[in-house]
Amino acid sequence: MMKILFIPSAYKGIYEWFEKSIITALRKNHEIRMFHIHSGFNELKIITQRFKPDLVLTLVGFKFPLAMVQWLKKQEILTAVWFTEDPYYMDRTVVLSRYYDYVFSIDSAAVDYYKNRGHDHAYLLSLATSPEVFFPKQIEPKYKSDICMVGFPYPERVRDVQRLLKNTPYKIQVVGKWINPLYKFRQNPNLKIHEGWVEPKIVSDFYNGAKIVLNTHRPYNLQQNMNQLGIVGKSINNRAFDVASSAAFQLIESKVDLNEHFIENEEIVSFNNFSELSEKIHYYMNADDERKLIANKARERVLKEHTFEKRLNKMMSLLNLS
């Protein structure tokens, strides 16, 4: 059992859920204390001297003052950061990565960049899911749809939904900040919008209620990004694991690393462009048994390999702290 001081990201929403999942997983095998950065430098010194951690781990790292990180290193305490926004904020993470003993990233293209810049302990560590939250279940009619998309309305996502509404007869439900992007379609009888951020246990209801969950990734070159390096992501998002854990069928935008996590066409189905997406939606909408078989196999894979407990065990082994 190791002593781990965990530093939350200080971001709200989904980050708080990630952190709760991480802490729950770590507590199964290790002694955990938490330090919130707003408590101040003196409190960090006090808790460090009393607790004597073997490792200080933080998520994201953007709000964790570098002066604190440098002080921890002077105390010869191992430091690690889990970058969960790669490669979209690489302009920041490349700078931050130099200050940590260990860097974990959710994207293999980012890991390659850190290594090429000389970081000896940069590793791929995808996010994961919590099967206690995402699991197959019976849901209310309001959560049911033919096609569901959960997440921020990036331009490509909006365009895909608009084209599906124009060219297919399917009932589409979107979850997130979609009212403004889809304003012109607000009277469309095939569209339902659940506006705003939704907590994970409700997101699972939407996944369970959909015949097909559409899963696309954030564009690497989005204007709001901080990725002037132009790093193109190779890895899949955490939504892939949440959908699979719910035993819901998903069509996922193809990524280089997809086969590292799931067997294509057995556990998950991917697409490369809208034409392929449309073709596969039509096919799988009429293939109930095949959809359910693939979705159930995806859940089996998640339970074996893609839970937060599995991820944290892998992290500890890479740190030689297992």
Side-chain angles (χ1 to χ4, degrees):
M1 177 179 285
M2 296 294 157
K3 292 183 174 183
I4 301 173
L5 183 62
F6 184 76
I7 317 290
S9 65
Y11 289 98
K12 296 188 180 298
I14 194 63
Y15 301 97
E16 293 176 312
W17 184 76
F18 289 153
E19 288 156 358
K20 181 180 178 181
S21 301
I22 290 167
I23 292 165
T24 299
L26 286 173
R27 280 186 172 147
K28 292 182 178 180
N29 298 301
H30 304 282
E31 186 178 353
I32 308 299
R33 295 284 188 279
M34 291 180 63
F35 169 75
H36 297 276
I37 57 175
H38 61 258
S39 298
F41 212 142
N42 286 336
E43 184 61 29
L44 175 65
K45 292 178 178 179
I46 291 169
I47 194 171
T48 301
Q49 290 162 2
R50 289 178 178 171
F51 183 49
K52 300 187 185 316
D54 302 297
L55 169 71
V56 172
L57 170 65
T58 191
L59 194 72
V60 183
F62 292 171
K63 294 187 178 184
F64 191 19
L66 287 177
M68 291 185 180
V69 182
Q70 291 172 308
W71 180 84
L72 288 165
K73 293 190 72 171
K74 287 180 181 178
Q75 312 311 304
E76 298 184 347
I77 300 171
L78 202 63
T79 58
V81 61
W82 196 352
F83 289 137
T84 59
E85 296 300 317
D86 282 346
Y88 311 114
Y89 291 88
M90 290 290 291
D91 299 343
R92 296 185 69 178
T93 58
V94 167
V95 175
L96 291 176
S97 66
R98 305 169 192 157
Y99 293 87
Y100 289 88
D101 298 310
Y102 282 77
V103 167
F104 299 95
S105 171
I106 63 168
D107 192 87
S108 63
V111 171
D112 291 342
Y113 193 87
Y114 299 135
K115 287 181 175 179
N116 290 336
R117 289 290 296 264
H119 204 297
D120 294 329
H121 297 292
Y123 301 98
L124 175 66
L125 195 73
S126 303
L127 281 166
T129 193
S130 292
E132 304 82 9
V133 176
F134 292 94
F135 58 89
K137 55 188 168 181
Q138 296 296 317
I139 47 87
E140 300 175 42
K142 66 180 180 179
Y143 295 111
K144 292 188 176 181
S145 64
D146 292 326
I147 301 169
C148 177
M149 176 175 279
V150 178
F152 192 85
Y154 298 122
E156 287 83 353
R157 289 178 178 172
V158 173
R159 186 166 62 246
D160 286 347
V161 171
Q162 289 174 337
R163 292 169 79 177
L164 288 171
L165 286 168
K166 288 179 180 177
N167 300 303
T168 75
Y170 305 121
K171 303 291 185 182
I172 300 175
Q173 182 147 239
V174 291
V175 182
K177 297 181 179 180
W178 287 85
I179 286 180
N180 287 336
L182 294 179
Y183 185 77
K184 292 181 180 179
F185 292 82
R186 66 191 183 283
Q187 302 298 333
N188 191 307
N190 286 338
L191 175 66
K192 284 177 65 177
I193 300 175
H194 188 102
E195 182 72 4
W197 187 81
V198 176
E199 60 180 311
K201 68 178 181 178
I202 304 300
V203 171
S204 180
D205 292 341
F206 285 108
Y207 292 158
N208 273 278
K211 291 182 180 178
I212 295 175
V213 177
L214 182 55
N215 185 5
T216 63
H217 297 83
R218 178 174 180 153
Y220 79 95
N221 57 353
L222 195 69
Q223 185 177 358
Q224 296 94 319
N225 292 349
M226 297 180 68
N227 183 23
Q228 292 185 14
L229 293 167
I231 306 297
V232 181
K234 294 181 179 180
S235 301
I236 60 177
N237 55 28
N238 64 290
R239 184 175 295 108
F241 307 117
D242 294 339
V243 177
S245 187
S246 302
F249 177 84
Q250 65 182 301
L251 285 174
I252 186 171
E253 178 187 4
S254 184
K255 284 286 184 178
V256 174
D257 290 350
L258 179 58
N259 281 314
E260 298 293 322
H261 301 286
F262 295 99
I263 300 172
E264 281 200 69
N265 300 318
E266 288 187 26
E267 300 168 339
I268 202 166
V269 178
S270 69
F271 64 93
N272 291 286
N273 51 53
F274 183 80
S275 176
E276 196 172 309
L277 169 64
S278 181
E279 179 184 326
K280 290 185 176 182
I281 284 175
H282 290 310
Y283 173 81
Y284 283 104
M285 199 64 71
N286 297 294
D288 290 356
D289 291 342
E290 192 174 351
R291 276 202 328 268
K292 291 172 184 175
L293 180 62
I294 291 171
N296 286 332
K297 286 186 176 181
R299 177 167 166 81
E300 290 174 10
R301 174 68 67 180
V302 162
L303 295 179
K304 288 179 183 176
E305 298 181 8
H306 302 312
T307 65
F308 272 102
E309 185 174 357
K310 299 289 186 183
R311 288 289 188 272
L312 273 299
N313 287 342
K314 181 180 178 181
M315 177 188 285
M316 293 303 113
S317 67
L318 291 168
L319 292 163
N320 295 315
L321 294 177
S322 57

